Each structure stands twice: as C-alpha cells, then as structure tokens.
Amino acid sequence: MKEQWREFISAMIDSGFDAKLQRASAELDYPASFHVADQCGLFLARVNGEKRLIAVAQAESKLFNEIQAQETCMVDGKAVKIAELSAQNAEVMRKFFPFMNPVAFGRNSFSLGLGDRLGLASPGHLRCLAGSGIRPVLAQQSIRELTLTERTYNNVLDAASWAVLQEGFHDGFGADGDHLKRPEDIKIALDLGYSMITLDCSEKIDGSIAAMNATDRTAKYQSLPVDFRTKMEHFYLDKTFPVGTLSVHFDRDSLQEILLTYGETLAFIQQIDAQFIKPHHQPIDFELSIDETATPTTPAAHYFMASEMEKAGIVLCSLAPRFIGEFQKAIDYIGDLAVFEADFAVHAAIADHFGYRLSIHSGSDKFSVFPIIGQYTKGRVHVKTAGTNWLEALRVVCRQEPQFFRELCLFARSRFADATKFYHVTTDLAKIPAAQDLPDNELERMLNEPDARQLLHITYGYILADKN
Ligand code: ZN
C-alpha cells in the first residue's frame, strides 16, 4: 500500500516546495509538522508504527545533507530521507528552525511548567493550551526526575523540540533545569540551550533554626560575623517595608531567625548568577527556589531574599517560596483556605514590589487554591504541574489497556516504600483499593481518589524505568 505521505511529497514537488502547502497537508499523520527551509521540505510521519522525519530537497540543501537517515526511498525521481528522531537530527533541526529552541519568557508572562515525563505528551499539552495565552515550559525536569526516569537533559529537550515541530507551534516554549543545586548541572542545562534555571538553595538553608529556642538562637546569632550582623541590622531591624497596600516588618527575633536560616544562601546565589546567568549569551529565566524547607517561608524571609537579590543586582524572573499549608504531590491543597489567602496576598505583593513573578511548585492538582493564585498574581505567575500530566497520561493507559494498568498499580505498590524517600506524602495504603479486584468500569478510582493518586504519582520513576 502506498503511504499517504508519498502522495504528499508528489504534491510538494509539483507545487515547487510551496510552504503554503500546509493547507493541503491534512492527509498527513501530523499535518502541522510540514515545514520548508533551505530548499528542503520535511514533516513527521508514522512509518511502520514509528515516528519518523521525512525530508526531501528541491535543490542542493545543507539542511537535507545534514539530516542523517538510515533509510531512503525515491518519489517522483527525488531522493527522500526517512530519518529517526535522533539527538543528532534534533540538533540539526534546531539550527535551521529557531522555533525548535527554548526561549525565556521574562517577568510578565503567565506560564505553566508541564514537565512531560514520558517524552510523548508535549503535543497534547500544546493543544490543551492553544488559545489560552499561557506559555508552555514543556521541558521541566529536576536531576531527581532525570535519575528516576533514566533520561538526560538532551533527550528531554529533544522531545520538546520534536513536539513543537509536530504541532507547528512557533510561539516559543520554555525548558527548565528544575531544582538544580550544583554548578555542573546548571552548566549542562545552559550549554544545551535550556531557557530557565531553577536554582534550589535548600542545601544552603539551615532548616534547624526554626525549631531552636530563643537562647540557643541568640547564642548562635552571636557567632555570625559582626560586620554582617551590623550591616543587616542597620538595614532591616525594627523597620517596616511597604509592599503594595501591605507591609512587612522585621523585629529582632524574626531578623535573627532569617539571617541564621538564609544567610548562607546569599553568597551561593551571587556566585551562580555571576558565573552562569549574567554572562550567558541569551536571556535566562532565573528562578530562585526556597520551597524545599521544613517550614513555610514567612513574608519577612521572602522580602529579605528579594531585597538582598536586588541589592546584589541579581535579576530574578521568579521566586518560589514555600507557602503555608501543605502542597503535597498529586492532590489538592491541604490547609485552611482563608489562612492561605492572607499569606499568599503578602507573597504576591512582595513579588509585585520587586517585579518578578511568583512560582508555584507542586502545583499539580491544587484546584482549590488556583482561583486565589489567579486573583492575587493577576496571571503574572508560573505554576509547575508535571504531576497532573503524568496522572492524566496514566488515565489514558487505564482506559485503553485496563489489564496493563492493573499491573502498573500492583508494581507501584511494591515500590511505594522506596519512593517515599524522595517525596513527602501522607498516603494511607490501606485506603487504596486493590486494582486487580476492580472491574474495568471502576478502575479509574485509582486516579480519582487521593491516596491512590499519590501512590501512582510518586512511583512514576520506578514505573518508567522498569522497561519490562
Ligand atoms: Zn520546588
């Protein structure tokens, strides 16, 4: 049987490689993937069940020459390459099609971190966001996620590049080196062209201070360098700083706690900014994450970090505090909504005051707080949501392959204890139904009930890494 894409190539040759042929490309597996550059027409198609890049040149073409293909065929006297979506080919394509490279979004957009863990779901994410004005950070992986899923920053970026080609999405996508702690990882992400760096300061944050009694804390405070203390006290002590219609106050207790807790992060952030962010040849969305801590970030601590960044000339694109209440993976917010709102209003005002955006981590499924987040940020915000996307991908498996889904659930249970080393959850395994006993029409309970959702969320790495 003659594949439809061969007929399309005939039409392309007949039209003299007219890029507007797009309208006539509806017969293709991925109609929006048809693009023309450097005398070369190309598009994605399914060949024997695999996604392939099909390329044909009108005349001598560097792009065509650089695409590596194991397989070729002839259509109407022209050589056609049937190429794998390899790393090498992705690199070639990014050179000729700038929209396949990630871009920074800056301080004023509304963006969603989608974090396609499968490397398959980004085309769907792009369709979901179409027309919403929300900008997609398609690639969003932490080192922890890469390790758990046995992927690399290269192939995460490649999957995003191929997705925008497939969907013909030219409006710009982001790629986030999420929760990076080490300079060498930041370098890898930036060298590959990642457009966003989320710097995780948790290893420089002293989480023990909050629980310390006043006497011990004051004693420890005395051990800080005296000129550091004097400088900070002069600037903050007993001062009130307006932020919008609200204000933030520093008394002796809160200032001591903040300096002891966050003091060490300052030099670290400055070093990363000076070494990587400032000298980088293209704009970077630089995010500061102080959310992986034992206690919520107080408004004063948030203000302190923002103000110190400003003093040091560091331009943050966004900052992720740890908000009050619980932001556990894959389930809705746990806590008092009125308390959250009052706290969030101050954090949003601080971000506004300094000009960056708030970033909401573990944003997956926090449906009850989304309206509050929207209201106070007026849509100038970044929300990271990889967990929801992963679970919705599992819903597809559940509906299409119920027996396989039951196996996944059983496997997830066997790895739950291991996964809790990486994620803080309050999952009660006793509340989770035994998937193997559920009939097909009840199987989605596994994706609708909180405990089961958490089980399937935090074990994603084991599920994806087990190739059997
Ligand atoms: Zn985080």
Side-chain angles (χ1 to χ4, degrees):
M1 197 188 76
K2 208 174 173 195
E3 294 103 329
Q4 273 151 336
W5 57 262
R6 287 169 187 265
E7 289 164 32
F8 178 74
I9 289 179
S10 293
M12 196 199 313
I13 293 168
D14 285 347
S15 79
F17 285 67
D18 183 356
K20 292 193 200 74
L21 205 60
Q22 189 114 14
R23 270 168 295 147
S25 65
E27 301 288 291
L28 294 177
D29 295 321
Y30 309 104
S33 69
F34 172 56
H35 287 79
V36 176
D38 192 36
Q39 311 269 22
C40 175
L42 32 75
F43 54 87
L44 298 175
R46 294 200 79 79
V47 180
N48 301 325
E50 299 281 344
K51 218 181 269 183
R52 292 283 184 260
L53 177 68
I54 313 287
V56 55
Q58 185 179 26
E60 182 63 21
S61 164
K62 236 173 121 67
L63 166 57
F64 183 77
N65 290 341
E66 285 186 25
I67 290 171
Q68 308 225 343
Q70 253 42 19
E71 228 183 304
T72 53
C73 69
M74 297 297 285
V75 175
D76 296 353
K78 290 238 180 248
V80 176
K81 285 185 175 174
I82 304 168
E84 287 183 24
L85 306 194
S86 65
Q88 261 173 332
N89 285 333
E91 221 177 297
V92 172
M93 291 291 284
R94 281 194 289 265
K95 233 167 40 184
F96 286 88
F97 296 98
F99 72 90
M100 289 176 73
N101 294 283
V103 291
F105 294 155
R107 297 174 122 196
N108 289 313
S109 50
F110 179 3
S111 51
L112 271 188
L114 297 152
D116 175 11
R117 294 194 175 131
L118 294 158
L120 296 169
S122 285
H125 296 162
L126 289 170
R127 287 183 206 178
C128 280
L129 295 187
S132 68
I134 300 172
R135 310 202 68 184
V137 177
L138 295 178
Q140 174 201 282
Q141 261 76 12
S142 61
I143 297 292
R144 173 174 71 190
E145 282 171 307
L146 291 180
T147 311
L148 287 173
T149 56
E150 296 178 356
R151 296 176 78 199
T152 64
Y153 271 134
N154 291 59
N155 69 35
V156 168
L157 175 63
D158 290 349
S161 292
W162 292 119
V164 293
L165 177 75
Q166 180 178 322
E167 293 302 308
F169 182 80
H170 298 169
D171 297 341
F173 71 97
D176 179 7
D178 196 12
H179 275 283
L180 297 184
K181 300 175 179 177
R182 302 183 309 173
E184 55 268 39
D185 296 329
I186 293 171
K187 183 168 171 13
I188 291 172
L190 287 178
D191 286 350
L192 282 167
Y194 274 62
S195 57
M196 175 170 180
I197 295 294
T198 299
L199 180 64
D200 181 327
C201 302
S202 52
E203 279 169 12
K204 305 284 176 192
I205 295 174
D206 189 342
S208 69
I209 306 299
M212 220 175 241
N213 67 49
T215 324
D216 289 352
R217 191 187 295 162
T218 307
K220 196 170 166 83
Y221 183 72
Q222 298 310 319
S223 70
L224 292 177
V226 68
D227 51 341
F228 175 69
R229 275 185 281 139
T230 315
K231 197 173 72 180
M232 293 299 175
E233 286 176 12
H234 178 73
F235 194 88
Y236 294 103
L237 187 57
D238 294 327
K239 302 253 170 71
T240 301
F241 298 87
V243 284
T245 56
L246 304 165
S247 64
V248 178
H249 181 76
F250 291 82
D251 57 26
R252 186 163 292 278
D253 261 6
S254 65
L255 183 61
Q256 286 189 356
E257 182 179 333
I258 288 166
L259 294 178
L260 285 168
T261 308
Y262 298 94
E264 269 195 44
T265 65
L266 302 177
F268 173 63
I269 301 164
Q270 276 188 51
Q271 179 219 324
I272 296 293
D273 184 64
Q275 190 180 350
F276 297 106
I277 309 298
K278 282 220 171 71
H280 200 61
H281 58 277
Q282 58 194 23
I284 290 293
D285 288 335
F286 186 35
E287 173 164 314
L288 193 60
S289 107
I290 51 172
D291 65 308
E292 302 231 330
T293 51
T295 51
T297 313
T298 61
H302 180 179
Y303 186 95
F304 170 80
M305 293 302 289
S307 148
E308 288 303 307
M309 293 302 106
E310 191 180 66
K311 282 197 234 164
I314 295 168
V315 180
L316 296 180
C317 178
S318 46
L319 185 146
R322 184 179 155 184
F323 299 105
I324 209 157
E326 292 239 8
F327 275 62
Q328 284 190 26
K329 300 288 175 186
I331 55 170
D332 206 338
Y333 178 72
I334 303 174
D336 184 325
L337 282 180
V339 174
F340 175 82
E341 181 170 356
D343 181 66
F344 190 83
V346 191
H347 286 296
I350 295 170
D352 256 352
H353 178 82
F354 288 96
Y356 54 77
R357 300 189 272 153
L358 276 184
S359 178
I360 319 296
H361 286 203
S362 302
S364 50
D365 289 60
K366 302 302 175 291
F367 295 107
S368 65
V369 295
F370 284 156
I372 297 170
I373 291 170
Q375 184 190 336
Y376 287 92
T377 61
K378 301 176 197 76
R380 221 169 56 77
V381 66
H382 181 60
V383 185
K384 302 197 182 193
T385 64
T388 306
N389 305 326
W390 160 247
L391 288 167
E392 291 311 304
L394 283 184
R395 197 181 296 278
V396 176
V397 178
C398 175
R399 287 180 189 176
Q400 296 297 318
E401 301 273 353
Q403 197 45 41
F404 177 49
F405 181 74
R406 287 186 188 94
E407 281 175 43
L408 289 184
C409 293
L410 212 58
F411 178 73
R413 233 178 225 273
S414 74
R415 302 313 297 269
F416 177 76
D418 300 318
T420 54
K421 285 184 214 130
F422 301 101
Y423 294 101
H424 165 68
V425 288
T426 52
T427 315
D428 183 352
L429 285 181
K431 286 191 187 150
I432 301 174
Q436 62 273 23
D437 300 335
L438 292 176
D440 288 2
N441 64 355
E442 280 182 47
L443 205 48
E444 277 189 53
R445 281 178 59 193
M446 297 299 295
L447 294 159
N448 297 335
E449 296 173 11
D451 295 279
R453 282 182 73 82
Q454 286 196 316
L455 165 69
L456 290 171
H457 177 283
I458 68 165
T459 52
Y460 70 88
Y462 301 100
I463 294 173
L464 288 173
D466 188 336
K467 304 295 185 230
N468 295 322

